[in-house]
Amino acid sequence: MIIVLKPNSGQDVVDHVVERIKELGFTPHLSQGVARTIIGVIGDEEKLRAEPLQAIEGVESVVPIMKAYKLASRDFRAADTVVEVKGVRVGGGHLAMIAGPCAIEGEPVFNEIADAARDAGANILRGGAFKPRTSPYSFQGMGEDGLKILKATGDRLGMPVVTEVMDPRQTDLVVRYSDMIQIGARNMQNFDLLKEVGRTRTPVLLKRGLAATVKDVLMSAEYVLSQGNTQLILCERGVRSFEDSTRNMLDLSSVPNVKGLSHLPIIVDPSHATGRPDLIPSMARAAVAAGADGVHVEIHTCPEKALSDGPQALLPAAYQRLMDEIRALAEVMGKTIDACEGVHA
Ligand code: PEP
Ligand code: MN
């Protein structure tokens, strides 16, 4: 349920309600707006009665949240959440332009690709060090050596970095090297992993599962939020379908759909959604037009030598053209693209 306090309630009222909720054995989650404070109480609503809380001085109303996801819902937070990834804002009118190779394959090639991403105007650098490959015989990523290259390159360019974590036991390690942690499609319902990243205070990029409904995605988001990590960005990356001319089926309607249901930012990954460089630019533009809070694109300087996802990688020149188009679109949409430290606008 959510407890709405009267406008301009003092800190003493907030403290009193928080104390009462804790006494009852529940965890309060605060959402402090300019004039109003809302307190979310998560737990078994059968055991929590509204009337006694309603009686507290300063409480305006006590409203049950009927949706299964609560902290992720617009009912809990009306304003868009803005996530900050090392100074780069995402959501609430700010676009994340995430680019980089599928996997970190070595220092020279990663540096070259990262330079291209930065030169085109990307504001977050990606690269996988732990790769969730369909085959155990495919390249599995460079592990910690890859994380070291990722961090050093991000530092050199002044760009925040994002990389995937696949195992709860890797979380501490990945957090040491990365400014945002990605939960991949295959792990969207790895609930122990969601709880573990929820316990950190590092921003999380949560990708939609291969066969996950919008509600499933929001329930997974709830796992992260319920552990206290509010820095969460969702990512639409297509779902499995009968169509086999594209890698997955991009569900662009999920963008405005999620925006109606949740305050969380949502970006689109047209690379994994289509698997085809010829379709990525148009789907990236469509994503921004649909209201997405950013675009995640895999790029490579030599796709034919890439150790994973080479066939879907955009060449730097194509990414540069796409970024020019997205900058123009962003202006029409009234959105801004924060420059990261390393890029002087
Ligand atoms: C990736 O980002 O490289 C990746 C494996 O994506 P997904 O989890 O969406 O398949
Ligand atoms: Mn990939």
Side-chain angles (χ1 to χ4, degrees), residues 253-287:
S253 71
S254 73
V255 172
N257 195 356
V258 162
K259 287 204 159 288
L261 299 168
S262 173
H263 52 86
L264 295 169
I266 175 165
I267 68 166
V268 169
D269 170 358
S271 299
H272 293 88
T274 66
R276 285 176 43 181
D278 59 325
L279 304 181
I280 291 167
S282 52
M283 290 303 96
R285 295 192 301 267

mmCIF file of all heavy atoms in Angstrom, residues 253-287:
data_model
loop_
_atom_site.group_PDB
_atom_site.id
_atom_site.type_symbol
_atom_site.label_atom_id
_atom_site.label_comp_id
_atom_site.label_asym_id
_atom_site.label_seq_id
_atom_site.Cartn_x
_atom_site.Cartn_y
_atom_site.Cartn_z
ATOM 1 N N SER A 253 5.913 -1.209 -28.941
ATOM 2 C CA SER A 253 4.786 -0.708 -28.135
ATOM 3 C C SER A 253 5.073 -0.849 -26.645
ATOM 4 O O SER A 253 4.439 -0.202 -25.817
ATOM 5 C CB SER A 253 3.486 -1.433 -28.490
ATOM 6 O OG SER A 253 3.532 -2.764 -28.021
ATOM 7 N N SER A 254 6.042 -1.696 -26.302
ATOM 8 C CA SER A 254 6.352 -1.840 -24.866
ATOM 9 C C SER A 254 6.886 -0.530 -24.290
ATOM 10 O O SER A 254 6.804 -0.306 -23.088
ATOM 11 C CB SER A 254 7.351 -2.978 -24.626
ATOM 12 O OG SER A 254 8.647 -2.600 -25.045
ATOM 13 N N VAL A 255 7.423 0.344 -25.161
ATOM 14 C CA VAL A 255 7.989 1.601 -24.638
ATOM 15 C C VAL A 255 6.888 2.494 -24.048
ATOM 16 O O VAL A 255 6.896 2.765 -22.842
ATOM 17 C CB VAL A 255 8.838 2.331 -25.706
ATOM 18 C CG1 VAL A 255 9.249 3.705 -25.221
ATOM 19 C CG2 VAL A 255 10.058 1.498 -26.070
ATOM 20 N N PRO A 256 5.892 2.913 -24.880
ATOM 21 C CA PRO A 256 4.818 3.711 -24.258
ATOM 22 C C PRO A 256 4.000 2.903 -23.250
ATOM 23 O O PRO A 256 3.462 3.462 -22.288
ATOM 24 C CB PRO A 256 3.968 4.157 -25.448
ATOM 25 C CG PRO A 256 4.333 3.256 -26.577
ATOM 26 C CD PRO A 256 5.734 2.798 -26.337
ATOM 27 N N ASN A 257 3.922 1.581 -23.462
ATOM 28 C CA ASN A 257 3.184 0.728 -22.530
ATOM 29 C C ASN A 257 3.819 0.796 -21.136
ATOM 30 O O ASN A 257 3.153 1.094 -20.134
ATOM 31 C CB ASN A 257 3.231 -0.703 -23.100
ATOM 32 C CG ASN A 257 2.233 -1.634 -22.451
ATOM 33 O OD1 ASN A 257 1.536 -1.257 -21.513
ATOM 34 N ND2 ASN A 257 2.162 -2.854 -22.945
ATOM 35 N N VAL A 258 5.128 0.569 -21.081
ATOM 36 C CA VAL A 258 5.845 0.613 -19.787
ATOM 37 C C VAL A 258 5.771 2.015 -19.189
ATOM 38 O O VAL A 258 5.602 2.182 -17.983
ATOM 39 C CB VAL A 258 7.318 0.162 -19.967
ATOM 40 C CG1 VAL A 258 8.181 0.593 -18.788
ATOM 41 C CG2 VAL A 258 7.392 -1.348 -20.151
ATOM 42 N N LYS A 259 5.870 3.020 -20.056
ATOM 43 C CA LYS A 259 5.853 4.396 -19.539
ATOM 44 C C LYS A 259 4.532 4.739 -18.848
ATOM 45 O O LYS A 259 4.497 5.522 -17.908
ATOM 46 C CB LYS A 259 6.160 5.399 -20.640
ATOM 47 C CG LYS A 259 7.621 5.344 -21.005
ATOM 48 C CD LYS A 259 8.096 6.624 -21.617
ATOM 49 C CE LYS A 259 9.591 6.717 -21.495
ATOM 50 N NZ LYS A 259 10.037 6.977 -20.130
ATOM 51 N N GLY A 260 3.455 4.124 -19.336
ATOM 52 C CA GLY A 260 2.165 4.342 -18.674
ATOM 53 C C GLY A 260 2.099 3.633 -17.338
ATOM 54 O O GLY A 260 1.510 4.127 -16.378
ATOM 55 N N LEU A 261 2.730 2.467 -17.256
ATOM 56 C CA LEU A 261 2.613 1.631 -16.058
ATOM 57 C C LEU A 261 3.662 1.945 -15.000
ATOM 58 O O LEU A 261 3.460 1.684 -13.818
ATOM 59 C CB LEU A 261 2.755 0.146 -16.450
ATOM 60 C CG LEU A 261 1.705 -0.407 -17.423
ATOM 61 C CD1 LEU A 261 2.134 -1.779 -17.943
ATOM 62 C CD2 LEU A 261 0.350 -0.494 -16.725
ATOM 63 N N SER A 262 4.811 2.479 -15.442
ATOM 64 C CA SER A 262 5.947 2.620 -14.536
ATOM 65 C C SER A 262 6.661 3.960 -14.716
ATOM 66 O O SER A 262 6.611 4.551 -15.799
ATOM 67 C CB SER A 262 6.939 1.472 -14.793
ATOM 68 O OG SER A 262 8.119 1.645 -14.050
ATOM 69 N N HIS A 263 7.332 4.382 -13.670
ATOM 70 C CA HIS A 263 8.121 5.627 -13.704
ATOM 71 C C HIS A 263 9.549 5.368 -14.168
ATOM 72 O O HIS A 263 10.340 6.300 -14.321
ATOM 73 C CB HIS A 263 8.166 6.243 -12.298
ATOM 74 C CG HIS A 263 8.604 5.261 -11.247
ATOM 75 N ND1 HIS A 263 9.927 5.032 -10.973
ATOM 76 C CD2 HIS A 263 7.892 4.424 -10.448
ATOM 77 C CE1 HIS A 263 10.008 4.098 -10.039
ATOM 78 N NE2 HIS A 263 8.799 3.707 -9.697
ATOM 79 N N LEU A 264 9.895 4.095 -14.382
ATOM 80 C CA LEU A 264 11.287 3.757 -14.709
ATOM 81 C C LEU A 264 11.634 4.120 -16.151
ATOM 82 O O LEU A 264 10.788 3.996 -17.038
ATOM 83 C CB LEU A 264 11.530 2.261 -14.500
ATOM 84 C CG LEU A 264 11.422 1.771 -13.060
ATOM 85 C CD1 LEU A 264 11.413 0.243 -13.012
ATOM 86 C CD2 LEU A 264 12.576 2.325 -12.212
ATOM 87 N N PRO A 265 12.876 4.531 -16.409
ATOM 88 C CA PRO A 265 13.281 4.765 -17.795
ATOM 89 C C PRO A 265 13.333 3.443 -18.567
ATOM 90 O O PRO A 265 13.620 2.397 -17.983
ATOM 91 C CB PRO A 265 14.698 5.342 -17.677
ATOM 92 C CG PRO A 265 15.023 5.458 -16.235
ATOM 93 C CD PRO A 265 13.947 4.792 -15.439
ATOM 94 N N ILE A 266 13.052 3.527 -19.868
ATOM 95 C CA ILE A 266 13.177 2.327 -20.713
ATOM 96 C C ILE A 266 13.891 2.701 -22.002
ATOM 97 O O ILE A 266 13.535 3.681 -22.651
ATOM 98 C CB ILE A 266 11.800 1.650 -20.990
ATOM 99 C CG1 ILE A 266 11.968 0.473 -21.973
ATOM 100 C CG2 ILE A 266 10.740 2.645 -21.471
ATOM 101 C CD1 ILE A 266 10.787 -0.464 -22.044
ATOM 102 N N ILE A 267 14.934 1.939 -22.317
ATOM 103 C CA ILE A 267 15.675 2.163 -23.552
ATOM 104 C C ILE A 267 15.425 0.977 -24.496
ATOM 105 O O ILE A 267 14.809 -0.015 -24.093
ATOM 106 C CB ILE A 267 17.196 2.349 -23.294
ATOM 107 C CG1 ILE A 267 17.837 1.043 -22.800
ATOM 108 C CG2 ILE A 267 17.448 3.493 -22.297
ATOM 109 C CD1 ILE A 267 19.360 1.063 -22.863
ATOM 110 N N VAL A 268 15.902 1.102 -25.736
ATOM 111 C CA VAL A 268 15.685 0.039 -26.725
ATOM 112 C C VAL A 268 17.025 -0.422 -27.293
ATOM 113 O O VAL A 268 17.925 0.384 -27.534
ATOM 114 C CB VAL A 268 14.746 0.537 -27.853
ATOM 115 C CG1 VAL A 268 14.715 -0.440 -29.021
ATOM 116 C CG2 VAL A 268 13.334 0.754 -27.307
ATOM 117 N N ASP A 269 17.141 -1.733 -27.466
ATOM 118 C CA ASP A 269 18.334 -2.338 -28.063
ATOM 119 C C ASP A 269 17.938 -2.949 -29.417
ATOM 120 O O ASP A 269 17.484 -4.098 -29.483
ATOM 121 C CB ASP A 269 18.863 -3.425 -27.107
ATOM 122 C CG ASP A 269 19.956 -4.288 -27.721
ATOM 123 O OD1 ASP A 269 20.303 -4.088 -28.911
ATOM 124 O OD2 ASP A 269 20.460 -5.178 -27.016
ATOM 125 N N PRO A 270 18.059 -2.162 -30.507
ATOM 126 C CA PRO A 270 17.662 -2.699 -31.818
ATOM 127 C C PRO A 270 18.669 -3.713 -32.355
ATOM 128 O O PRO A 270 18.371 -4.428 -33.319
ATOM 129 C CB PRO A 270 17.611 -1.449 -32.704
ATOM 130 C CG PRO A 270 18.538 -0.466 -32.073
ATOM 131 C CD PRO A 270 18.566 -0.780 -30.598
ATOM 132 N N SER A 271 19.869 -3.805 -31.753
ATOM 133 C CA SER A 271 20.881 -4.757 -32.235
ATOM 134 C C SER A 271 20.448 -6.190 -31.961
ATOM 135 O O SER A 271 20.380 -7.013 -32.883
ATOM 136 C CB SER A 271 22.233 -4.486 -31.565
ATOM 137 O OG SER A 271 22.685 -3.201 -31.872
ATOM 138 N N HIS A 272 20.164 -6.496 -30.676
ATOM 139 C CA HIS A 272 19.740 -7.861 -30.351
ATOM 140 C C HIS A 272 18.300 -8.115 -30.803
ATOM 141 O O HIS A 272 17.913 -9.253 -31.029
ATOM 142 C CB HIS A 272 19.913 -8.146 -28.857
ATOM 143 C CG HIS A 272 21.353 -8.162 -28.448
ATOM 144 N ND1 HIS A 272 22.017 -7.029 -28.063
ATOM 145 C CD2 HIS A 272 22.278 -9.162 -28.416
ATOM 146 C CE1 HIS A 272 23.279 -7.327 -27.801
ATOM 147 N NE2 HIS A 272 23.471 -8.610 -28.013
ATOM 148 N N ALA A 273 17.515 -7.047 -30.936
ATOM 149 C CA ALA A 273 16.121 -7.214 -31.351
ATOM 150 C C ALA A 273 16.031 -7.675 -32.802
ATOM 151 O O ALA A 273 15.261 -8.578 -33.130
ATOM 152 C CB ALA A 273 15.359 -5.909 -31.166
ATOM 153 N N THR A 274 16.840 -7.062 -33.678
ATOM 154 C CA THR A 274 16.726 -7.410 -35.108
ATOM 155 C C THR A 274 17.842 -8.345 -35.559
ATOM 156 O O THR A 274 17.647 -9.149 -36.459
ATOM 157 C CB THR A 274 16.789 -6.147 -35.989
ATOM 158 O OG1 THR A 274 18.090 -5.576 -35.879
ATOM 159 C CG2 THR A 274 15.737 -5.128 -35.581
ATOM 160 N N GLY A 275 19.034 -8.179 -34.972
ATOM 161 C CA GLY A 275 20.186 -8.971 -35.392
ATOM 162 C C GLY A 275 20.692 -8.562 -36.770
ATOM 163 O O GLY A 275 21.517 -9.264 -37.357
ATOM 164 N N ARG A 276 20.177 -7.436 -37.305
ATOM 165 C CA ARG A 276 20.525 -7.053 -38.682
ATOM 166 C C ARG A 276 20.913 -5.579 -38.784
ATOM 167 O O ARG A 276 20.081 -4.700 -38.546
ATOM 168 C CB ARG A 276 19.322 -7.335 -39.596
ATOM 169 C CG ARG A 276 19.168 -8.830 -39.865
ATOM 170 C CD ARG A 276 17.940 -9.145 -40.670
ATOM 171 N NE ARG A 276 17.710 -8.234 -41.786
ATOM 172 C CZ ARG A 276 16.671 -8.313 -42.608
ATOM 173 N NH1 ARG A 276 15.778 -9.271 -42.437
ATOM 174 N NH2 ARG A 276 16.511 -7.449 -43.582
ATOM 175 N N PRO A 277 22.170 -5.318 -39.203
ATOM 176 C CA PRO A 277 22.628 -3.930 -39.319
ATOM 177 C C PRO A 277 21.755 -3.084 -40.248
ATOM 178 O O PRO A 277 21.644 -1.872 -40.064
ATOM 179 C CB PRO A 277 24.038 -4.055 -39.889
ATOM 180 C CG PRO A 277 24.464 -5.444 -39.618
ATOM 181 C CD PRO A 277 23.231 -6.283 -39.537
ATOM 182 N N ASP A 278 21.126 -3.722 -41.263
ATOM 183 C CA ASP A 278 20.295 -2.930 -42.189
ATOM 184 C C ASP A 278 19.003 -2.446 -41.532
ATOM 185 O O ASP A 278 18.361 -1.525 -42.026
ATOM 186 C CB ASP A 278 19.989 -3.730 -43.474
ATOM 187 C CG ASP A 278 19.254 -5.038 -43.188
ATOM 188 O OD1 ASP A 278 19.515 -5.672 -42.146
ATOM 189 O OD2 ASP A 278 18.385 -5.426 -43.997
ATOM 190 N N LEU A 279 18.609 -3.081 -40.426
ATOM 191 C CA LEU A 279 17.353 -2.687 -39.766
ATOM 192 C C LEU A 279 17.593 -1.848 -38.509
ATOM 193 O O LEU A 279 16.663 -1.225 -37.990
ATOM 194 C CB LEU A 279 16.542 -3.934 -39.378
ATOM 195 C CG LEU A 279 16.192 -4.917 -40.497
ATOM 196 C CD1 LEU A 279 15.357 -6.073 -39.946
ATOM 197 C CD2 LEU A 279 15.423 -4.210 -41.609
ATOM 198 N N ILE A 280 18.827 -1.871 -38.000
ATOM 199 C CA ILE A 280 19.098 -1.219 -36.702
ATOM 200 C C ILE A 280 18.838 0.299 -36.741
ATOM 201 O O ILE A 280 18.136 0.811 -35.853
ATOM 202 C CB ILE A 280 20.534 -1.554 -36.215
ATOM 203 C CG1 ILE A 280 20.606 -3.043 -35.836
ATOM 204 C CG2 ILE A 280 20.943 -0.674 -35.028
ATOM 205 C CD1 ILE A 280 22.019 -3.568 -35.634
ATOM 206 N N PRO A 281 19.333 1.029 -37.771
ATOM 207 C CA PRO A 281 19.115 2.486 -37.725
ATOM 208 C C PRO A 281 17.632 2.880 -37.710
ATOM 209 O O PRO A 281 17.219 3.728 -36.918
ATOM 210 C CB PRO A 281 19.824 2.991 -38.987
ATOM 211 C CG PRO A 281 20.875 1.953 -39.257
ATOM 212 C CD PRO A 281 20.231 0.654 -38.872
ATOM 213 N N SER A 282 16.826 2.235 -38.552
ATOM 214 C CA SER A 282 15.404 2.636 -38.577
ATOM 215 C C SER A 282 14.726 2.294 -37.257
ATOM 216 O O SER A 282 13.893 3.069 -36.761
ATOM 217 C CB SER A 282 14.670 2.001 -39.758
ATOM 218 O OG SER A 282 14.887 0.615 -39.770
ATOM 219 N N MET A 283 15.063 1.154 -36.667
ATOM 220 C CA MET A 283 14.431 0.789 -35.397
ATOM 221 C C MET A 283 14.938 1.675 -34.245
ATOM 222 O O MET A 283 14.197 1.954 -33.304
ATOM 223 C CB MET A 283 14.675 -0.695 -35.083
ATOM 224 C CG MET A 283 13.919 -1.639 -36.003
ATOM 225 S SD MET A 283 12.114 -1.384 -35.995
ATOM 226 C CE MET A 283 11.892 -0.339 -37.409
ATOM 227 N N ALA A 284 16.177 2.123 -34.361
ATOM 228 C CA ALA A 284 16.703 3.041 -33.330
ATOM 229 C C ALA A 284 15.957 4.377 -33.402
ATOM 230 O O ALA A 284 15.562 4.941 -32.376
ATOM 231 C CB ALA A 284 18.201 3.257 -33.534
ATOM 232 N N ARG A 285 15.745 4.866 -34.620
ATOM 233 C CA ARG A 285 15.009 6.133 -34.781
ATOM 234 C C ARG A 285 13.570 5.963 -34.291
ATOM 235 O O ARG A 285 13.031 6.827 -33.586
ATOM 236 C CB ARG A 285 15.016 6.566 -36.256
ATOM 237 C CG ARG A 285 16.400 6.915 -36.796
ATOM 238 C CD ARG A 285 16.305 7.608 -38.149
ATOM 239 N NE ARG A 285 15.641 6.809 -39.174
ATOM 240 C CZ ARG A 285 16.267 5.999 -40.046
ATOM 241 N NH1 ARG A 285 17.587 5.889 -40.017
ATOM 242 N NH2 ARG A 285 15.584 5.311 -40.955
ATOM 243 N N ALA A 286 12.967 4.831 -34.658
ATOM 244 C CA ALA A 286 11.581 4.588 -34.228
ATOM 245 C C ALA A 286 11.492 4.528 -32.701
ATOM 246 O O ALA A 286 10.511 4.976 -32.111
ATOM 247 C CB ALA A 286 11.066 3.289 -34.847
ATOM 248 N N ALA A 287 12.522 3.974 -32.077
ATOM 249 C CA ALA A 287 12.525 3.865 -30.607
ATOM 250 C C ALA A 287 12.491 5.246 -29.969
ATOM 251 O O ALA A 287 11.697 5.501 -29.051
ATOM 252 C CB ALA A 287 13.772 3.101 -30.152
#
